[in-house]
Amino acid sequence: MQLGGPTWEVQLGRRDSTTASKEAADANIPAPFFSLSQLITNFKNHGLDEKDLVVLSGGHTIGFARCVTFKDHIYNDSNIDANFAKQLKYICPRNGGDLNLAPLDSTAANFDLNYYSNLVQKNGLLHSDQELFNGGSTDELVKQYSYDTEAFYVEFGNSMVKM
């Protein structure tokens, strides 16, 4: 609650597993260089659809990423605002600086809609994030969540429970 954002109820107890594995969890996290089709497939393999993909990616409204996860995006991709890429290159030089941090969105300490607004402006930090707004099937959801707080909060809670 300190960062803002929605709340949701979660039933007590897991029904899908009797064990936990950090290695298995880490192996199934989508990579920051994934294309939209790879992201959709990754989520589908876990019983999640495109809406879940877009809304759960909104969790990137808080936190930071290491330079190594976005370096290729800022130096090699064309689907990024030139001024945004230029600012990031100070934090993340072409050589070295792999552990340097940049905020995932413009308000990294607040759970808000800025993640989606940033994507619409081509200011997504990770390649995989910007793929959600890059002329594909998820563009309309990104646009909606860039201005509709209630829809984002409700759907985020629903997708968290589904996940």
Side-chain angles (χ1 to χ4, degrees):
M1 294 296 290
Q2 287 182 321
L3 300 178
T7 60
W8 58 91
E9 289 188 26
V10 179
Q11 293 182 354
L12 184 61
R14 288 186 65 164
R15 299 174 193 268
D16 62 338
S17 179
T18 57
T19 63
S21 167
K22 182 182 181 321
E23 292 77 22
D26 287 346
N28 290 305
I29 293 175
F33 54 81
F34 272 12
S35 67
L36 180 59
S37 63
Q38 289 172 307
L39 291 166
I40 291 169
T41 298
N42 181 279
F43 273 65
K44 187 176 182 179
N45 288 341
H46 298 287
L48 302 168
D49 60 24
E50 285 186 31
K51 181 184 258 186
D52 298 315
L53 163 63
V54 175
V55 78
L56 290 170
S57 294
H60 285 178
T61 188
I62 53 175
F64 293 80
R66 291 181 296 143
C67 171
V68 69
T69 64
F70 62 86
K71 186 179 287 193
D72 284 345
H73 180 51
I74 64 173
Y75 285 99
N76 300 319
D77 288 349
S78 60
N79 64 339
I80 185 170
D81 177 77
N83 290 326
F84 180 61
K86 184 178 179 181
Q87 292 171 352
L88 290 170
K89 289 174 183 177
Y90 288 110
I91 297 168
C92 186
R94 189 177 295 274
N95 296 308
D98 286 353
L99 299 180
N100 295 349
L101 298 174
L104 284 165
D105 89 355
S106 57
T107 56
N110 295 313
F111 195 96
D112 56 26
L113 303 180
N114 283 350
Y115 168 78
Y116 298 106
S117 299
N118 292 163
L119 295 181
V120 170
Q121 297 167 10
K122 296 197 179 285
N123 290 343
L125 182 64
L126 304 177
H127 172 85
S128 57
D129 286 336
Q130 194 60 59
E131 282 289 291
L132 300 179
F133 190 81
N134 195 30
S137 60
T138 55
D139 283 8
E140 288 306 313
L141 283 170
V142 170
K143 281 186 206 172
Q144 178 186 2
Y145 296 141
S146 74
Y147 64 83
D148 191 342
T149 303
E150 183 178 352
F152 171 51
Y153 284 10
V154 167
E155 294 302 328
F156 189 85
N158 291 341
S159 292
M160 286 295 290
V161 171
K162 186 176 175 183
M163 181 174 56

